[in-house]
Amino acid sequence: MYSSMMLNQLVQSDYEKVRRQAIVRRVLSFVLRRPNQLISLNALLEHCDVVNQHSLGVQSVPIKQIIGTHSRGKEFDSVFLPNQTHTASRWTSVMKASYRGISLPPIVLVKVNEYYFVVDGHHRISVGRAVGQTYIDAEVTEMELREKSLRDVEVN
């Protein structure tokens, strides 16, 4: 086990590393003119109607298939690296739990087709990716969507 001071230094170093990676990715996405943000579930729902929605319960979900967010698109980039420094405290507390082997509750996801959008658990996904985790436990709700027709779209 780690001493408290050593653990604090270790997770602070881990956080600084992922923040540097986030900055490099942001610069590269700007230079290469490629998107680097999470896909917004809310934006998707503006163009689609929910046809059906039901719980799939708790499942082990491949982290690679988590591509979007319900509400925190500016705080994390497309691979869940933290974009903003105010995430540091929560991120490091989740990383400490990871080092200590503390089990955290499942994250909450919405599944659309084969992809997932985060409702709750952004920091747990970010830390999971940082430590090389490939699957994460999640409470999953599946949504079936239908693209809105032109007559359904309100004209302004």
Side-chain angles (χ1 to χ4, degrees):
M1 280 315 260
Y2 299 101
S3 71
S4 183
M5 185 168 37
M6 184 185 283
L7 184 59
N8 287 338
Q9 290 172 341
L10 189 57
V11 298
Q12 187 59 40
S13 173
D14 290 338
Y15 183 74
E16 290 168 4
K17 179 181 174 185
V18 296
R19 283 288 297 137
R20 282 192 303 273
Q21 289 172 344
I23 291 166
V24 168
R25 285 181 54 84
R26 188 173 351 161
V27 169
L28 283 174
S29 72
F30 177 78
V31 170
L32 299 174
R33 297 178 186 217
R34 292 189 179 152
N36 187 33
Q37 66 271 1
L38 291 169
I39 298 170
S40 168
L41 178 60
N42 288 333
L44 180 64
L45 293 174
E46 287 178 12
H47 301 284
C48 297
D49 290 319
V50 177
V51 176
N52 191 10
Q53 179 175 319
H54 57 277
S55 174
L56 298 176
V58 176
Q59 302 181 344
S60 186
V61 173
I63 289 180
K64 285 184 194 177
Q65 288 180 252
I66 305 171
I67 62 163
T69 183
H70 183 264
S71 61
R72 296 181 110 167
K74 300 213 185 294
E75 292 181 25
F76 296 90
D77 73 5
S78 63
V79 294
F80 288 89
L81 291 171
N83 272 334
Q84 299 177 357
T85 56
H86 75 269
T87 61
S89 175
R90 178 72 180 130
W91 197 96
T92 56
S93 70
V94 172
M95 182 57 98
K96 282 180 190 177
S98 174
Y99 276 115
R100 290 180 174 145
I102 297 171
S103 182
L104 297 174
I107 63 173
V108 179
L109 300 175
V110 171
K111 181 179 183 185
V112 177
N113 297 327
E114 71 270 12
Y115 296 108
Y116 298 86
F117 297 84
V118 184
V119 175
D120 181 49
H122 296 79
H123 293 87
R124 286 170 274 171
I125 295 168
S126 182
V127 167
R129 281 179 162 268
V131 300
Q133 188 175 339
T134 55
Y135 286 84
I136 191 164
D137 288 338
E139 176 69 40
V140 180
T141 299
E142 185 171 35
M143 275 188 188
E144 295 176 38
L145 304 179
R146 175 182 53 98
E147 193 171 345
K148 290 181 180 178
S149 67
L150 287 177
R151 70 175 183 278
D152 294 334
V153 178
E154 196 173 306
V155 179
N156 290 324

